[in-house]
Amino acid sequence: MKTILITIAAAMSLSATAAQAQSPEMSPHAADATFGAEGYTSTDGEVLYQTLCAGCHMPDGSGAVGAGEYPALQGNANLEFSAYAVTLIVNGQAAMPAFGTFLNDEQVVALVTYLQTNLGNDFEPDATAEAVANARPETPKDTTKAEHE
Ligand code: HEC
């Protein structure tokens, strides 16, 4: 449990300066946490969500409005088709950090499937590893993943 909390904080401080500014309650030592801990190797959508996403979108997906605005993912019609969520998770958008370099295709599929079938959503899961791969930028920052060229 402690590992998970530390990992949330680490993910947020690494990927979003906005989150740092808006989350004064988080430990300043969180950035010391070892990257690659539990949350990043998990392929369990719920674990990934609670580790990486719940800090902004809340554990129940209800979102938050405060210093920043984090949309609710609960009962969210934008999740009916996975393409939008896949693109957003991989590439980020506005204050939503990009997770494409932290998560492999399978992990993104697990996350999106979790979103589509939990948090008050009851959609037909339709994310595929191929769609995730296609959503990745052609020149990913993480060059260890480059395959074609
Ligand atoms: C640092 C805070 C933060 C974290 C962490 C975060 N998000 Fe977001 N998310 C946002 C913000 C802000 C937006 C709105 C982006 C915009 O303005 O376009 C958003 C938007 C979204 C949307 C689109 C909602 C809609 O209806 O348009 C989805 C889906 C989403 N996030 C999923 C996730 C998932 C899955 C994770 C974990 C891998 C995650 N987010 C982690 C801040 C965050």
Side-chain angles (χ1 to χ4, degrees), residues 12 16 19 49 52-53 56-57 69-71 73 76 78-79 84-85 88-89 93-97 99 111 115:
M12 292 175 61
Y49 178 80
L52 299 172
C53 322
C56 287
H57 293 286
E69 206 169 310
Y70 306 118
L73 303 181
N76 186 330
N78 290 336
L79 296 170
Y84 176 66
L88 229 121
I89 292 167
Q93 178 171 292
M96 160 87 188
F99 289 90
L111 251 175
L115 296 181

Side-chain angles (χ1 to χ4, degrees), residues 18-91:
Q20 269 181 320
Q22 292 161 7
S23 306
E25 76 274 13
M26 277 198 297
S27 161
H29 304 298
D32 299 338
T34 310
F35 212 60
E38 201 179 329
Y40 293 93
T41 52
S42 174
T43 48
D44 181 313
E46 179 170 11
V47 170
L48 290 168
Y49 178 80
Q50 297 301 341
T51 306
L52 299 172
C53 322
C56 287
H57 293 286
M58 297 298 118
D60 64 353
S62 57
V65 178
E69 206 169 310
Y70 306 118
L73 303 181
Q74 206 176 56
N76 186 330
N78 290 336
L79 296 170
E80 181 171 1
F81 301 106
S82 60
Y84 176 66
V86 165
T87 303
L88 229 121
I89 292 167
V90 170
N91 299 304

